[in-house]
Short mmCIF file of all heavy atoms in Angstrom, two decimals:
data_model
loop_
_atom_site.label_atom_id
_atom_site.label_comp_id
_atom_site.label_asym_id
_atom_site.label_seq_id
_atom_site.Cartn_x
_atom_site.Cartn_y
_atom_site.Cartn_z
N LYS O 143 43.52 -34.85 -109.97
CA LYS O 143 43.16 -34.48 -111.33
C LYS O 143 42.64 -33.06 -111.43
O LYS O 143 42.77 -32.41 -112.46
CB LYS O 143 42.09 -35.45 -111.86
CG LYS O 143 42.56 -36.89 -111.97
CD LYS O 143 41.44 -37.80 -112.46
CE LYS O 143 41.92 -39.24 -112.56
NZ LYS O 143 40.82 -40.15 -113.01
N ASN O 144 42.03 -32.59 -110.36
CA ASN O 144 41.41 -31.27 -110.36
C ASN O 144 41.47 -30.72 -108.93
O ASN O 144 40.93 -31.34 -108.01
CB ASN O 144 39.96 -31.37 -110.83
CG ASN O 144 39.23 -30.04 -110.83
OD1 ASN O 144 39.78 -29.02 -110.42
ND2 ASN O 144 37.99 -30.03 -111.30
N GLU O 145 42.12 -29.58 -108.75
CA GLU O 145 42.32 -29.04 -107.39
C GLU O 145 41.17 -28.15 -106.92
O GLU O 145 41.27 -27.51 -105.87
CB GLU O 145 43.64 -28.26 -107.32
CG GLU O 145 44.86 -29.14 -107.44
CD GLU O 145 46.15 -28.43 -107.07
OE1 GLU O 145 46.07 -27.40 -106.36
OE2 GLU O 145 47.23 -28.89 -107.48
N GLU O 146 40.07 -28.14 -107.65
CA GLU O 146 38.93 -27.34 -107.23
C GLU O 146 38.45 -27.78 -105.85
O GLU O 146 38.17 -28.95 -105.60
CB GLU O 146 37.77 -27.49 -108.23
CG GLU O 146 36.53 -26.68 -107.85
CD GLU O 146 35.36 -26.96 -108.77
OE1 GLU O 146 35.52 -27.75 -109.72
OE2 GLU O 146 34.28 -26.39 -108.53
N ARG O 147 38.36 -26.85 -104.93
CA ARG O 147 37.93 -27.06 -103.55
C ARG O 147 38.76 -28.11 -102.81
O ARG O 147 38.31 -28.72 -101.86
CB ARG O 147 36.44 -27.40 -103.48
CG ARG O 147 35.55 -26.19 -103.70
CD ARG O 147 34.08 -26.49 -103.54
NE ARG O 147 33.54 -27.16 -104.70
CZ ARG O 147 33.04 -28.38 -104.71
NH1 ARG O 147 33.01 -29.08 -103.60
NH2 ARG O 147 32.57 -28.90 -105.82
N LEU O 148 40.00 -28.31 -103.30
CA LEU O 148 40.95 -29.16 -102.58
C LEU O 148 42.12 -28.30 -102.12
O LEU O 148 42.67 -27.53 -102.90
CB LEU O 148 41.50 -30.28 -103.48
CG LEU O 148 40.52 -31.25 -104.12
CD1 LEU O 148 41.29 -32.33 -104.88
CD2 LEU O 148 39.62 -31.89 -103.09
N THR O 149 42.48 -28.43 -100.85
CA THR O 149 43.66 -27.75 -100.32
C THR O 149 44.64 -28.82 -99.87
O THR O 149 44.30 -29.68 -99.04
CB THR O 149 43.30 -26.85 -99.12
OG1 THR O 149 42.36 -25.86 -99.55
CG2 THR O 149 44.54 -26.18 -98.56
N LEU O 150 45.84 -28.80 -100.44
CA LEU O 150 46.86 -29.80 -100.12
C LEU O 150 47.81 -29.24 -99.07
O LEU O 150 48.35 -28.14 -99.24
CB LEU O 150 47.63 -30.20 -101.37
CG LEU O 150 46.79 -30.64 -102.58
CD1 LEU O 150 47.70 -31.09 -103.72
CD2 LEU O 150 45.84 -31.76 -102.19
N VAL O 151 48.02 -29.99 -98.00
CA VAL O 151 48.86 -29.55 -96.88
C VAL O 151 49.95 -30.58 -96.63
O VAL O 151 49.66 -31.77 -96.46
CB VAL O 151 48.03 -29.35 -95.59
CG1 VAL O 151 48.91 -28.81 -94.47
CG2 VAL O 151 46.84 -28.42 -95.84
N GLN O 152 51.19 -30.12 -96.62
CA GLN O 152 52.32 -31.03 -96.42
C GLN O 152 52.32 -31.62 -95.00
O GLN O 152 52.16 -30.90 -94.01
CB GLN O 152 53.64 -30.30 -96.66
CG GLN O 152 54.89 -31.07 -96.29
CD GLN O 152 55.12 -32.31 -97.16
OE1 GLN O 152 54.62 -32.38 -98.29
NE2 GLN O 152 55.87 -33.27 -96.65
N ALA O 153 52.48 -32.93 -94.92
CA ALA O 153 52.66 -33.64 -93.66
C ALA O 153 53.88 -34.53 -93.82
O ALA O 153 53.89 -35.40 -94.69
CB ALA O 153 51.42 -34.47 -93.32
N ASP O 154 54.90 -34.30 -93.02
CA ASP O 154 56.17 -35.00 -93.21
C ASP O 154 56.15 -36.45 -92.74
O ASP O 154 56.95 -37.27 -93.20
CB ASP O 154 57.29 -34.25 -92.47
CG ASP O 154 57.49 -32.85 -93.01
OD1 ASP O 154 57.24 -32.64 -94.21
OD2 ASP O 154 57.89 -31.96 -92.22
N GLU O 155 55.23 -36.77 -91.81
CA GLU O 155 55.23 -38.10 -91.22
C GLU O 155 53.93 -38.85 -91.53
O GLU O 155 52.92 -38.25 -91.88
CB GLU O 155 55.39 -38.00 -89.70
CG GLU O 155 56.70 -37.35 -89.26
CD GLU O 155 56.76 -37.16 -87.76
OE1 GLU O 155 55.95 -36.39 -87.24
OE2 GLU O 155 57.62 -37.79 -87.13
N VAL O 156 53.99 -40.17 -91.37
CA VAL O 156 52.84 -41.03 -91.59
C VAL O 156 52.71 -41.99 -90.40
O VAL O 156 53.70 -42.57 -89.96
CB VAL O 156 52.98 -41.86 -92.89
CG1 VAL O 156 51.80 -42.83 -93.03
CG2 VAL O 156 53.05 -40.93 -94.10
N ILE O 157 51.49 -42.14 -89.89
CA ILE O 157 51.23 -43.14 -88.86
C ILE O 157 50.84 -44.43 -89.56
O ILE O 157 49.83 -44.49 -90.26
CB ILE O 157 50.12 -42.69 -87.90
CG1 ILE O 157 50.59 -41.47 -87.09
CG2 ILE O 157 49.71 -43.82 -86.96
CD1 ILE O 157 49.55 -40.91 -86.14
N ALA O 158 51.67 -45.46 -89.39
CA ALA O 158 51.44 -46.73 -90.06
C ALA O 158 50.39 -47.56 -89.33
O ALA O 158 50.08 -47.30 -88.16
CB ALA O 158 52.75 -47.51 -90.15
N MET O 159 49.85 -48.54 -90.02
CA MET O 159 48.82 -49.41 -89.43
C MET O 159 49.33 -50.12 -88.18
O MET O 159 48.58 -50.37 -87.25
CB MET O 159 48.36 -50.45 -90.45
CG MET O 159 47.55 -49.88 -91.59
SD MET O 159 45.94 -49.25 -91.05
CE MET O 159 45.06 -49.18 -92.61
N ALA O 160 50.63 -50.45 -88.17
CA ALA O 160 51.19 -51.22 -87.05
C ALA O 160 51.66 -50.34 -85.90
O ALA O 160 52.06 -50.86 -84.85
CB ALA O 160 52.35 -52.08 -87.55
N ASP O 161 51.63 -49.02 -86.04
CA ASP O 161 52.10 -48.13 -84.98
C ASP O 161 51.20 -48.20 -83.76
O ASP O 161 49.98 -48.35 -83.88
CB ASP O 161 52.16 -46.68 -85.48
CG ASP O 161 53.34 -46.44 -86.41
OD1 ASP O 161 54.19 -47.34 -86.53
OD2 ASP O 161 53.40 -45.35 -87.01
N GLU O 162 51.80 -48.07 -82.58
CA GLU O 162 51.03 -48.04 -81.34
C GLU O 162 50.23 -46.74 -81.31
O GLU O 162 50.80 -45.66 -81.44
CB GLU O 162 51.96 -48.14 -80.14
CG GLU O 162 51.30 -48.57 -78.85
CD GLU O 162 50.49 -47.46 -78.20
OE1 GLU O 162 50.93 -46.29 -78.28
OE2 GLU O 162 49.42 -47.75 -77.64
N PRO O 163 48.90 -46.81 -81.15
CA PRO O 163 48.04 -45.64 -81.35
C PRO O 163 48.39 -44.40 -80.54
O PRO O 163 48.66 -43.34 -81.11
CB PRO O 163 46.65 -46.17 -80.99
CG PRO O 163 46.71 -47.62 -81.31
CD PRO O 163 48.10 -48.04 -80.94
N VAL O 164 48.39 -44.49 -79.23
CA VAL O 164 48.58 -43.30 -78.40
C VAL O 164 49.99 -42.75 -78.55
O VAL O 164 50.19 -41.53 -78.70
CB VAL O 164 48.26 -43.61 -76.92
CG1 VAL O 164 48.54 -42.39 -76.05
CG2 VAL O 164 46.79 -44.04 -76.76
N LYS O 165 50.98 -43.64 -78.55
CA LYS O 165 52.36 -43.17 -78.71
C LYS O 165 52.55 -42.47 -80.05
O LYS O 165 53.25 -41.46 -80.15
CB LYS O 165 53.32 -44.36 -78.61
CG LYS O 165 53.51 -44.89 -77.20
CD LYS O 165 54.53 -46.02 -77.19
CE LYS O 165 54.71 -46.57 -75.76
NZ LYS O 165 55.68 -47.71 -75.75
N SER O 166 51.93 -43.00 -81.09
CA SER O 166 52.13 -42.43 -82.43
C SER O 166 51.56 -41.02 -82.55
O SER O 166 52.18 -40.16 -83.17
CB SER O 166 51.52 -43.34 -83.50
OG SER O 166 50.12 -43.46 -83.32
N ILE O 167 50.40 -40.77 -81.94
CA ILE O 167 49.86 -39.41 -82.07
C ILE O 167 50.62 -38.42 -81.19
O ILE O 167 50.60 -37.21 -81.45
CB ILE O 167 48.34 -39.35 -81.77
CG1 ILE O 167 48.05 -39.66 -80.30
CG2 ILE O 167 47.56 -40.25 -82.70
CD1 ILE O 167 46.65 -39.26 -79.89
N ARG O 168 51.29 -38.93 -80.17
CA ARG O 168 52.09 -38.05 -79.31
C ARG O 168 53.46 -37.75 -79.90
O ARG O 168 54.01 -36.67 -79.72
CB ARG O 168 52.23 -38.66 -77.93
CG ARG O 168 50.94 -38.62 -77.11
CD ARG O 168 51.10 -39.32 -75.78
NE ARG O 168 49.88 -39.21 -74.96
CZ ARG O 168 49.64 -39.88 -73.86
NH1 ARG O 168 50.56 -40.75 -73.41
NH2 ARG O 168 48.51 -39.73 -73.19
N ARG O 169 54.01 -38.74 -80.60
CA ARG O 169 55.37 -38.60 -81.12
C ARG O 169 55.42 -38.08 -82.55
O ARG O 169 56.35 -37.38 -82.93
CB ARG O 169 56.10 -39.95 -81.04
CG ARG O 169 56.33 -40.42 -79.60
CD ARG O 169 56.97 -41.80 -79.57
NE ARG O 169 57.21 -42.26 -78.21
CZ ARG O 169 57.68 -43.45 -77.89
NH1 ARG O 169 57.96 -44.32 -78.86
NH2 ARG O 169 57.87 -43.80 -76.62
N LYS O 170 54.42 -38.43 -83.35
CA LYS O 170 54.41 -38.01 -84.75
C LYS O 170 53.50 -36.81 -84.94
O LYS O 170 52.43 -36.88 -85.54
CB LYS O 170 53.99 -39.17 -85.65
CG LYS O 170 54.98 -40.33 -85.65
CD LYS O 170 54.60 -41.40 -86.66
CE LYS O 170 55.65 -42.50 -86.75
NZ LYS O 170 55.33 -43.54 -87.75
N LYS O 171 53.96 -35.68 -84.42
CA LYS O 171 53.15 -34.46 -84.45
C LYS O 171 52.94 -33.92 -85.87
O LYS O 171 52.00 -33.17 -86.12
CB LYS O 171 53.83 -33.36 -83.61
CG LYS O 171 54.03 -33.73 -82.14
CD LYS O 171 52.72 -33.82 -81.40
CE LYS O 171 52.94 -34.01 -79.90
NZ LYS O 171 51.67 -34.16 -79.15
N GLN O 172 53.84 -34.29 -86.78
CA GLN O 172 53.74 -33.80 -88.15
C GLN O 172 53.15 -34.87 -89.09
O GLN O 172 53.32 -34.78 -90.31
CB GLN O 172 55.12 -33.36 -88.66
CG GLN O 172 55.68 -32.15 -87.93
CD GLN O 172 54.75 -30.96 -87.99
OE1 GLN O 172 54.33 -30.57 -89.08
NE2 GLN O 172 54.43 -30.37 -86.85
N SER O 173 52.47 -35.84 -88.51
CA SER O 173 51.84 -36.86 -89.35
C SER O 173 50.55 -36.33 -89.97
O SER O 173 49.93 -35.39 -89.45
CB SER O 173 51.53 -38.11 -88.52
OG SER O 173 50.56 -37.82 -87.54
N SER O 174 50.14 -36.94 -91.06
CA SER O 174 48.92 -36.50 -91.75
C SER O 174 47.69 -36.62 -90.85
O SER O 174 46.80 -35.76 -90.88
CB SER O 174 48.73 -37.33 -93.03
OG SER O 174 48.78 -38.72 -92.76
N LEU O 175 47.64 -37.66 -90.03
CA LEU O 175 46.49 -37.86 -89.15
C LEU O 175 46.44 -36.82 -88.05
O LEU O 175 45.38 -36.22 -87.78
CB LEU O 175 46.53 -39.27 -88.55
CG LEU O 175 45.45 -39.62 -87.53
CD1 LEU O 175 44.05 -39.42 -88.12
CD2 LEU O 175 45.61 -41.07 -87.06
N VAL O 176 47.56 -36.57 -87.40
CA VAL O 176 47.59 -35.60 -86.30
C VAL O 176 47.31 -34.19 -86.81
O VAL O 176 46.55 -33.43 -86.19
CB VAL O 176 48.94 -35.66 -85.56
CG1 VAL O 176 49.08 -34.50 -84.57
CG2 VAL O 176 49.08 -36.99 -84.82
N LEU O 177 47.89 -33.83 -87.94
CA LEU O 177 47.66 -32.49 -88.49
C LEU O 177 46.20 -32.30 -88.89
O LEU O 177 45.63 -31.21 -88.72
CB LEU O 177 48.58 -32.23 -89.68
CG LEU O 177 50.07 -32.09 -89.36
CD1 LEU O 177 50.87 -31.91 -90.64
CD2 LEU O 177 50.32 -30.92 -88.40
N ALA O 178 45.58 -33.35 -89.42
CA ALA O 178 44.16 -33.26 -89.78
C ALA O 178 43.30 -33.08 -88.53
O ALA O 178 42.37 -32.27 -88.51
CB ALA O 178 43.74 -34.53 -90.53
N ALA O 179 43.62 -33.83 -87.47
CA ALA O 179 42.87 -33.70 -86.22
C ALA O 179 43.09 -32.32 -85.60
O ALA O 179 42.15 -31.71 -85.06
CB ALA O 179 43.30 -34.79 -85.24
N GLN O 180 44.31 -31.81 -85.70
CA GLN O 180 44.62 -30.49 -85.16
C GLN O 180 43.85 -29.41 -85.91
O GLN O 180 43.41 -28.41 -85.31
CB GLN O 180 46.12 -30.23 -85.26
CG GLN O 180 46.62 -29.09 -84.38
CD GLN O 180 46.50 -29.38 -82.90
OE1 GLN O 180 46.87 -30.44 -82.43
NE2 GLN O 180 45.94 -28.42 -82.16
N ALA O 181 43.64 -29.60 -87.20
CA ALA O 181 42.87 -28.64 -87.99
C ALA O 181 41.43 -28.56 -87.48
O ALA O 181 40.83 -27.48 -87.43
CB ALA O 181 42.89 -29.03 -89.47
N VAL O 182 40.87 -29.70 -87.08
CA VAL O 182 39.52 -29.70 -86.51
C VAL O 182 39.52 -28.99 -85.16
O VAL O 182 38.65 -28.17 -84.88
CB VAL O 182 38.99 -31.15 -86.38
CG1 VAL O 182 37.62 -31.15 -85.70
CG2 VAL O 182 38.89 -31.81 -87.75
N LYS O 183 40.49 -29.31 -84.33
CA LYS O 183 40.57 -28.69 -83.00
C LYS O 183 40.69 -27.17 -83.12
O LYS O 183 40.09 -26.41 -82.35
CB LYS O 183 41.75 -29.24 -82.23
CG LYS O 183 41.90 -28.64 -80.83
CD LYS O 183 43.11 -29.18 -80.10
CE LYS O 183 43.23 -28.54 -78.72
NZ LYS O 183 44.41 -29.08 -77.97
N ASN O 184 41.48 -26.70 -84.10
CA ASN O 184 41.72 -25.27 -84.27
C ASN O 184 40.57 -24.55 -84.98
O ASN O 184 40.60 -23.32 -85.12
CB ASN O 184 43.00 -25.04 -85.07
CG ASN O 184 44.24 -25.52 -84.32
OD1 ASN O 184 44.21 -25.71 -83.10
ND2 ASN O 184 45.33 -25.75 -85.04
N GLY O 185 39.57 -25.30 -85.45
CA GLY O 185 38.44 -24.68 -86.15
C GLY O 185 38.67 -24.46 -87.62
O GLY O 185 37.86 -23.80 -88.29
#
């Protein structure tokens, strides 16, 4: 509704609830979860 202090970043993939955890973060590099974690790692 309002983009104030919101930055939207495209993520092409999604890690589903049923996905195997470790495999999913290794294989789905462009997922919303992995990209968010990478943003933290990169500062």
Side-chain angles (χ1 to χ4, degrees):
K143 297 179 180 178
N144 179 357
E145 291 193 20
E146 180 186 358
R147 285 184 282 117
L148 302 184
T149 300
L150 308 183
V151 183
Q152 172 66 23
D154 298 330
E155 299 175 296
V156 176
I157 294 178
M159 290 293 198
D161 285 352
E162 199 284 324
V164 177
K165 286 183 181 178
S166 62
I167 67 165
R168 288 177 177 169
R169 294 176 180 176
K170 294 186 175 182
K171 300 292 187 182
Q172 294 303 307
S173 65
S174 52
L175 176 56
V176 170
L177 291 177
Q180 197 66 47
V182 176
K183 180 181 179 179
N184 295 341

